[in-house]
């Protein structure tokens, strides 16, 4: 059973696992540990806690994050001018375009989520363009934020520019961790977010696939673009095994993707997310442009990004630098809100959420797969293999033809 209360401080279902409480506790009484569903959650050691209430005062789930920079609202449909970058990104390469400028022009530090060698998604930082690929593309699982807020603080104290990307709750946690005096050189990018499944579920999924393939995983891709016929993102789930053929599944045929896309196993707080609004927490917001059909002449055969510019500070850096990296045009925010659900409401909690984690951890994986994924058709498999194996010259020709 999940504890429904964290030491009388916060209802468990509201905790986003940002870990700010554990970082700011003067007694070191709060630790982040895996809960029974495989999410990181705070555990308070009662004997160390002196009841000072600092954790409550810094918790973004309790105390709304103060908006520091003057607010504005600009919304763009955007596509990275460099085709190769856009191809490797989830939508239009919004994040990498901004990050390259930030690293090269401002000698900044960029934080984001990476799939690390141990196949855990963690927040890391990079200080050079070469390593930016680690943060590129979406990883549809809650990333372990670890001690990245402390690292960001260290860089800000040393007068460095910091670009911090993450889900809106991770950005809110960061703001509630940092002193106001350190915010001048901090820029934040939040994602339009559907919600996050647990790292425990993701680990289980990898283990089961490795058992079946009898090999260890080398890499996982959650989202690829199909170079042979379009530049539109497909949600193919690809697992590359050491010394073996990749396993490629369409979203409807993959158990993990089915569970993710139907929102069956999101963190409890995701179903009541207070950040699923057009009024954003970050300086920038990025997401998939879901109202693209209203802009038929804007990169028609490509996945485009939505970029929201939410503060005066963001507008300034966009005009000075970031904007150079993109083709962009103004986007009607009301239309985008209408088509991109998580800009106006949290994901609706499905009935399966009551029991899915018990099933996942207690029942045979074969039963879970049969229940939540469909059989893959041979035609889909062949098309997916062709997409992966197509040479880069073909990708480039295709990119030019559609550019
Ligand atoms: C869990 C999740 C749910 C999402 N849900 C939606 C949605 O409902 N609607 C929508 O429009 N867009 C959603 N997105 C955003 C979308 O997938 C793309 O990230 C976005 O369109 C930007 O793509 P890009 O091409 O600019 O850059 P990319 O290179 O694809 O973006 C990479 C950025 O995403 C961050 N990132 C990747 N994985 C994670 C993670 N697990 N946790 C925190 N940050 C991460 C990286 O740090 C980096 O900043 C979601 C992303 C995630 C991770």
């Amino acid at each position: 059973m999940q504890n429904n209360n964290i030491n009388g401080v916060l209802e468990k279902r509201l905790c986003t696992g940002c870990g700010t409480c554990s970082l700011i506790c003067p007694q070191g009484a709060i630790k982040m540990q895996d809960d029974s569903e495989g999410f990181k959650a705070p555990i308070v050691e009662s004997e160390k806690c002196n009841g000072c209430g600092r954790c409550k005062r810094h918790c973004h789930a309790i105390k709304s994050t103060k908006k520091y920079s003057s607010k504005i609202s600009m919304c763009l449909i955007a596509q990275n001018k460099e085709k190769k970058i856009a191809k490797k990104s989830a939508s239009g390469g919004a994040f990498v375009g901004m990050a390259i400028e930030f690293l090269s022009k401002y000698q900044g530090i960029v934080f984001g989520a990476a799939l690390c060698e141990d196949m855990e998604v963690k927040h890391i930082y990079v200080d050079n363009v070469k390593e930016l690929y680690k943060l590129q593309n979406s990883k549809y699982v809650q990333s372990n934020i670890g001690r990245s807020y402390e690292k960001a603080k260290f860089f800000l104290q040393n007068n460095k520019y910091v670009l911090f990307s993450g889900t809106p709750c991770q950005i809110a946690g960061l703001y509630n961790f940092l002193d106001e005096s350190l915010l001048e050189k901090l820029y934040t990018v939040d994602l339009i977010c559907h919600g996050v499944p647990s790292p425990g579920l993701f680990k289980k999924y990898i283990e089961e696939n490795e058992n079946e393939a009898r090999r260890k995983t080398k890499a996982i891709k959650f989202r690829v673009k199909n170079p042979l016929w379009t530049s539109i993102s497909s949600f193919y789930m690809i697992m590359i095994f050491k010394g073996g053929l990749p396993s490629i599944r369409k979203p409807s045929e993959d158990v993990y993707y089915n569970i993710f896309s139907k929102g069956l196993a999101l963190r409890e707080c995701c179903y009541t997310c207070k950040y699923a609004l057009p009024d954003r927490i970050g300086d920038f917001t990025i997401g998939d442009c879901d109202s693209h059909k209203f802009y038929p002449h804007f990169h028609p055969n490509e996945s485009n990004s939505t970029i929201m510019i939410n503060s005066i500070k963001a507008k300034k850096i966009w005009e000075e630098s970031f904007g150079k990296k993109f083709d962009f045009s103004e986007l009607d925010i009301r239309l985008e809100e209408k088509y991109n659900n998580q800009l106006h409401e949290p994901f609706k909690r499905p009935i399966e959420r009551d029991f899915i984690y018990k099933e996942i951890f207690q029942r045979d994986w074969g039963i879970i797969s049969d229940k939540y994924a469909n059989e893959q058709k041979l035609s889909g498999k062949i098309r997916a293999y062709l997409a992966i194996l197509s040479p880069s010259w073909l990708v480039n020709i295709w990119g030019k033809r559609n550019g």
Side-chain angles (χ1 to χ4, degrees):
M1 266 296 278
Q2 291 273 302
N3 276 334
N4 53 16
N5 200 298
I6 302 165
N7 224 37
V9 173
L10 177 70
E11 267 187 80
K12 177 101 200 297
R13 69 181 176 87
L14 300 176
C15 174
T16 67
C18 73
T20 294
C21 54
S22 73
L23 297 177
I24 52 93
C25 174
Q27 302 299 113
I30 308 178
K31 302 260 172 311
M32 298 302 285
Q33 280 181 11
D34 292 344
D35 70 11
S36 62
E37 295 182 339
F39 288 104
K40 290 267 177 255
I43 299 285
V44 184
E45 290 178 48
S46 311
E47 57 288 359
K48 285 192 187 167
C49 172
N50 65 2
C52 70
R54 203 157 186 246
C55 53
K56 260 189 188 175
R57 290 195 297 280
H58 285 260
C59 173
H60 74 92
I62 298 173
K63 180 179 172 256
S64 283
T65 301
K66 195 172 153 197
K67 308 265 170 62
Y68 295 96
S69 177
S70 326
K71 298 282 292 173
I72 54 160
S73 179
M74 269 172 72
C75 195
L76 309 171
I77 179 170
Q79 179 69 218
N80 198 303
K81 284 182 182 166
E82 276 191 59
K83 290 276 169 255
K84 272 191 194 157
I85 292 178
K87 287 263 179 203
K88 288 190 177 157
S89 303
S91 56
F95 168 71
V96 170
M98 296 181 185
I100 287 179
E101 278 293 288
F102 203 77
L103 291 167
S104 45
K105 190 159 178 195
Y106 302 89
Q107 284 75 52
I109 308 287
V110 176
F111 285 79
L115 180 65
C116 298
E117 263 178 42
D118 57 4
M119 292 299 122
E120 200 192 330
V121 176
K122 298 176 197 164
H123 254 66
I124 62 161
Y125 71 86
V126 302
D127 59 7
N128 63 82
V129 174
K130 253 191 179 169
E131 286 187 277
L132 206 47
Y133 74 92
K134 294 179 181 170
L135 311 184
Q136 195 169 17
N137 222 316
S138 299
K139 296 98 191 167
Y140 293 127
V141 58
Q142 183 161 46
S143 75
N144 183 352
I145 202 90
R147 304 196 84 89
S148 52
Y149 294 169
E150 276 182 345
K151 289 176 190 153
K153 181 176 174 180
F154 169 81
F155 288 120
L156 292 165
Q157 281 171 332
N158 285 282
N159 222 17
K160 288 289 234 180
Y161 280 91
V162 170
L163 182 73
F164 202 103
S165 66
T167 58
C169 53
Q170 290 173 331
I171 302 299
L174 173 68
Y175 279 124
N176 275 21
F177 170 73
L178 292 171
D179 292 341
E180 200 168 339
S181 60
L182 289 175
L183 301 182
E184 196 193 326
K185 292 190 170 170
L186 173 72
Y187 290 80
T188 55
V189 181
D190 70 48
L191 302 170
I192 301 173
C193 182
H194 159 107
V196 284
S198 83
L201 162 58
F202 186 56
K203 188 167 175 231
K204 171 92 178 151
Y205 167 79
I206 295 173
E207 281 168 4
E208 294 292 343
N209 276 279
E210 286 182 343
N211 289 343
E212 199 184 304
R214 300 206 182 141
R215 288 174 199 282
K216 284 280 171 202
T217 317
K218 202 165 102 187
I220 299 177
K221 294 192 189 306
F222 293 77
R223 209 166 147 170
V224 287
K225 287 177 179 166
N226 256 332
L228 279 183
W229 51 93
T230 88
S231 262
I232 292 174
S233 287
S234 68
F235 288 79
Y236 280 102
M237 189 73 164
I238 302 173
M239 291 187 79
I240 299 160
F241 296 105
K242 287 181 186 154
L245 282 171
S247 146
I248 303 164
R249 296 194 199 103
K250 279 164 104 180
S252 58
E253 295 149 353
D254 181 76
V255 62
Y256 185 84
Y257 236 118
N258 264 279
I259 292 175
F260 169 68
S261 61
K262 293 177 189 156
L264 304 180
L266 304 180
R267 195 170 180 128
E268 278 295 357
C269 59
C270 299
Y271 303 107
T272 52
C273 176
K274 60 180 179 179
Y275 307 109
L277 288 169
D279 182 16
R280 307 298 298 181
I281 196 92
D283 292 307
F284 291 96
T285 296
I286 57 173
D288 303 331
C289 183
D290 288 346
S291 58
H292 57 89
K293 65 178 177 194
F294 297 98
Y295 309 88
H297 303 298
F298 190 90
H299 293 268
N301 295 314
E302 294 164 56
S303 286
N304 292 306
S305 291
T306 286
I307 299 182
M308 294 169 71
I309 299 174
N310 307 318
S311 66
I312 299 280
K313 170 181 185 182
K315 183 169 181 270
K316 195 160 172 269
I317 202 167
W318 177 266
E319 286 169 354
E320 199 173 279
S321 151
F322 292 0
K324 281 187 225 147
K325 290 281 171 189
F326 299 95
D327 292 334
F328 62 90
S329 176
E330 208 176 308
L331 185 75
D332 182 340
I333 179 69
R334 278 159 310 167
L335 276 179
E336 185 58 18
E337 239 181 277
K338 188 170 163 197
Y339 288 90
N340 201 332
N341 284 347
Q342 271 63 76
L343 270 180
H344 63 257
E345 61 179 5
F347 202 93
K348 289 203 171 53
R349 190 180 188 281
I351 189 75
E352 290 91 334
R353 182 60 179 84
D354 288 344
F355 49 79
I356 193 160
Y357 274 102
K358 270 199 194 123
E359 281 193 329
I360 286 166
F361 294 125
Q362 287 171 16
R363 299 189 78 176
D364 183 80
W365 190 254
I367 297 172
I368 303 294
S369 288
D370 288 346
K371 185 167 175 187
Y372 294 107
N374 306 321
E375 226 6 70
Q376 180 164 13
K377 289 195 193 93
L378 185 62
S379 58
K381 223 174 209 170
I382 293 170
R383 284 197 326 161
Y385 268 101
L386 281 175
I388 302 298
L389 299 175
S390 62
S392 55
W393 58 265
L394 193 56
V395 177
N396 290 339
I397 289 175
W398 186 264
K400 276 184 195 130
R401 225 185 320 139
N402 290 284

